[in-house]
Amino acid sequence: MNEKFFCPSMMCADFTKLPEEIKSLEEADIDIFHMDIMDGVFVPNFALGTEDFKAIRANTDKLMDVHLMISNPGQYVELFADLGADIIYIHPETDQHPISTLNKIKAKGKKCGIAINPETSIETVKELFHVIDYLLVMTVSPGFAGQSYLEFVNDKIKEAAKYTDELPFKIVVDGAISPAKIEELSKIGVEGFVLGTSTLFNKEESYKEIVDSIQQL
Ligand code: DX5
Ligand code: ZN
């Protein structure tokens, strides 16, 4: 059974009390801070930017990823590597040469991943599976928290999972991930879960209570 890892989506955090939020999430033993970086072009929203990244980087030694929902990510991956990102996800849908961009990330000594939109098929990206450490499968259209899960993506997840038998990448899901989805998807090969308003943020329970309970699923 693969170990689950949890990635709080920091665009959902309360930025009026960021140091406390980070401390509580660390005490809940989350694994990777998930940073949704948006440019208003690839996705019709902005969410987080470099200053937000720096503010969180300065307050934690935990792993941080960046989910680059930006056009032409190849121009910016070294910037985020230098800011201290441990994992950098690009959308191949918006990169003319994803292999060279992924190699730039690796050359910086960082882990790399591709994030694929709900409408992007495995057939069009499977060659990239040979160079990635992570596959981030969007289970909502990227850009906004609080959306509904797109059930048709499950077939794509099952297809991607077949490649993990011989290739060393891990599958992560991002978008409307509820506790029920964590239980369901961990059974079909998903190891990483981006947690936003569907499981972790704006709840009655503490982050620690929630993470302790979903660890058992
Ligand atoms: C979607 C974002 C995530 C996530 C938020 O683009 O990457 O932050 O959807 O979590 P939910 O969907 O549970 O509010
Ligand atoms: Zn994301």
Side-chain angles (χ1 to χ4, degrees):
M1 181 70 128
N2 293 321
E3 192 55 32
K4 292 191 281 289
F5 57 91
F6 297 120
C7 315
S9 177
M10 296 306 284
M11 70 181 274
C12 303
D14 179 348
F15 272 71
T16 66
K17 48 180 187 160
L18 191 58
E20 298 92 317
E21 288 277 84
I22 294 168
K23 189 166 180 300
S24 308
L25 287 163
E26 287 183 327
E27 286 164 358
D29 200 20
I30 60 95
D31 298 285
I32 304 170
F33 285 105
H34 183 78
M35 301 292 289
D36 285 317
I37 308 291
M38 301 181 190
D39 65 359
V41 175
F42 180 66
V43 293
N45 197 7
F46 292 91
L48 305 177
T50 52
E51 297 311 307
D52 305 305
F53 184 92
K54 285 186 218 169
I56 295 174
R57 184 72 284 170
N59 280 281
T60 185
D61 294 330
K62 282 266 184 188
L63 293 176
M64 289 181 72
D65 73 27
V66 285
H67 174 188
L68 296 181
M69 286 172 268
I70 65 174
S71 296
N72 304 317
Q75 293 174 268
Y76 304 103
V77 291
E78 282 141 336
L79 164 68
F80 283 99
D82 292 341
L83 288 178
D86 300 289
I87 302 161
I88 301 176
Y89 292 104
I90 65 164
H91 275 267
E93 300 96 335
T94 183
D95 192 317
Q96 294 295 324
H97 302 287
I99 292 274
S100 94
T101 299
L102 292 163
N103 284 331
K104 273 185 192 173
I105 297 167
K106 294 160 91 96
K108 281 282 191 180
K110 306 297 183 178
K111 298 289 187 190
C112 70
I114 56 171
I116 56 174
N117 287 341
E119 49 273 79
T120 299
S121 72
I122 295 298
E123 195 51 37
T124 59
V125 295
K126 63 184 172 40
E127 285 75 16
L128 299 175
F129 291 176
H130 293 275
V131 296
I132 57 173
D133 301 299
Y134 296 91
L135 171 66
L136 184 69
V137 180
M138 294 307 297
T139 42
V140 297
S141 286
F144 297 89
Q147 299 179 77
S148 300
Y149 186 92
L150 296 170
E151 292 294 342
F152 69 81
V153 177
N154 286 11
D155 289 343
K156 183 160 66 164
I157 292 170
K158 288 175 193 158
E159 200 187 329
K162 291 177 197 156
Y163 290 86
T164 59
D165 294 340
E166 65 267 4
L167 292 171
F169 66 91
K170 294 182 184 303
I171 299 175
V172 186
V173 286
D174 183 355
I177 300 302
S178 64
K181 282 297 169 203
I182 294 170
E183 185 165 23
E184 176 192 348
L185 299 175
S186 56
K187 295 188 175 95
I188 60 170
V190 177
E191 296 182 64
F193 300 88
V194 172
L195 305 177
T197 63
S198 305
T199 290
L200 193 58
F201 293 96
N202 311 330
K203 303 293 180 206
E204 292 297 311
E205 305 89 338
S206 72
Y207 294 143
K208 178 150 183 50
E209 285 164 338
I210 294 171
V211 175
D212 286 352
S213 73
I214 61 178
Q215 279 292 11
Q216 310 307 317
L217 295 175

